Amino acid sequence: MNALFYGLWPVCRKEFTHVVRDPGTLFFALLIPLIQLFLFGFAVDTNIRQIPTVIFDESHSQPSRQLLESFAASDTFRMALTVQSNTDMYAAMRAGKARVAIKIPYDYARQLQSGATATVLVLIDGSDSSVAGQAVNASTGVALEQSLTRILGHAQMPIEVRPSVLYNPATRSANFFVPGLIAVLLQVMIILLIALSLVRERERGTLEQLTMTPVAPLGLMVGKMIPYGVLGFGELCLILTIMRIVFQVPIHGNVFALLGMSLPFLLTVLGVGLFISTKARTQAEAFQLSMGTVLPSVFLSGYIFLIDTMPPFFRAVSRMIPATYYIQILRGVILRGAGFTDLWLNALVLTLMGCTTVLLAARQFVNQRGR
């Protein structure tokens, strides 16, 4: 065992000294992720409200005004402007001044009084699918509410549904996005730091000098990993504190369980960074390879899009992404109050991934040293 990790502590001590003496590394490691956390945490909001809406009311009657008041009361639509012709209505949509247009025909009130079906045209800008989907659902809900009110009057509804949202009752976007953002920020920071570290030494020629010393490959790999692992763990604690205090995201589960299950993820991304460093020859190449891991982790990990709705091939790809399992751990502990007994499988998979990537990096390093 000692032979496998021979030279670990000297390498670890050297890397700690390099990190402490390099203010640029500390700035990148500590401040840049925090800035990104504030930017994305405050900017991203999936609750679609106050969609700018253009009104073309040909009826000018009390029923049409009641309908428009119902649209405004839904908080989904904001009556941005009123027009008097079809041309102006389509022009406002085309210019982007409004995302939704509501046209009430001239015979709207007469159709209602006669008992016929009154048709209201709702035009929706489909260039943004999330806005379009919310507008369709909200407009359908307003029409259904108005129809039931006219049919039943003040009579009691025969069926009442009382939905109750668990774990995030206010449906705050920060509660959903910030925990997943932690995984992405940690991954980017750690992979870049450790990958650039080894490549920088290779460019300066110090890595070749290090290989001439009696240092075991695993000792070199683990010795390089420990300082950046400690840095990443400290960053995680800082981000969790900011998440709780600034973004007011409550942690329903055990914090120590969360920190413990974060270690396999740190091990995995450290291993990925080391493996990239063995493949890259320049810092620019290491940067490009490191950033190549970002988009899959954002779009295929379940951070934004539900994995179950993906095609089978991409569902399989998502199972090979470390962030997929860590995001489930973060959201499980932070939002649902889950514990180790609920999430142990995710931690186990990350542990296996971490050990595999470290061993692959060590093997690649041995192969390069043997050439």
Side-chain angles (χ1 to χ4, degrees), residues 10 34 45 77 138 233 263:
L34 295 182
D45 188 355
F77 305 96
F233 190 81
L263 296 178

Side-chain angles (χ1 to χ4, degrees), residues 138 144 197 290 308 328 362 364:
L144 180 61
S197 171
S290 300
D308 294 335
Q328 293 178 10
Q364 182 69 19

Side-chain angles (χ1 to χ4, degrees), residues 202-323:
R202 180 179 288 114
E203 289 182 340
R204 294 174 179 174
T206 56
L207 187 62
E208 282 72 13
Q209 297 175 7
L210 190 61
T211 58
M212 300 300 293
T213 61
V215 178
L218 278 179
L220 177 63
M221 296 292 105
V222 178
K224 286 284 186 181
M225 288 168 54
I226 291 177
Y228 297 104
V230 172
L231 198 62
F233 190 81
E235 182 77 359
L236 171 63
C237 295
L238 184 59
I239 290 176
L240 288 175
T241 303
I242 293 175
M243 178 195 73
R244 182 67 189 91
I245 297 175
V246 177
F247 294 101
Q248 298 293 309
V249 179
I251 302 177
H252 293 98
N254 189 300
V255 177
F256 296 104
L258 175 60
L259 294 177
M261 288 187 287
S262 299
L263 296 178
F265 177 72
L266 294 176
L267 174 66
T268 304
V269 293
L270 285 167
V272 172
L274 284 173
F275 186 76
I276 289 175
S277 69
T278 62
K279 292 292 186 181
R281 295 301 175 188
T282 64
Q283 294 189 58
E285 187 178 347
F287 180 82
Q288 291 175 352
L289 290 174
S290 300
M291 296 307 295
T293 65
V294 175
L295 289 182
S297 298
V298 171
F299 293 108
L300 300 179
S301 65
Y303 172 48
I304 297 177
F305 305 108
L306 190 64
I307 294 177
D308 294 335
T309 62
M310 297 178 185
F313 173 77
F314 291 102
R315 284 204 300 270
V317 172
S318 70
R319 300 303 176 189
M320 297 183 287
I321 299 175

Side-chain angles (χ1 to χ4, degrees), residues 7-10 15 31 38 55 93 95 97 110 132 136 217 220 247 281 284 311 322 335 339 345:
L8 185 153
W9 292 118
E15 199 66 25
L31 291 184
F38 279 101
I55 305 301
M93 293 283 289
K97 296 179 181 178
R110 179 168 57 82
V136 169
L220 177 63
F247 294 101
R281 295 301 175 188
L335 299 180
L345 185 58

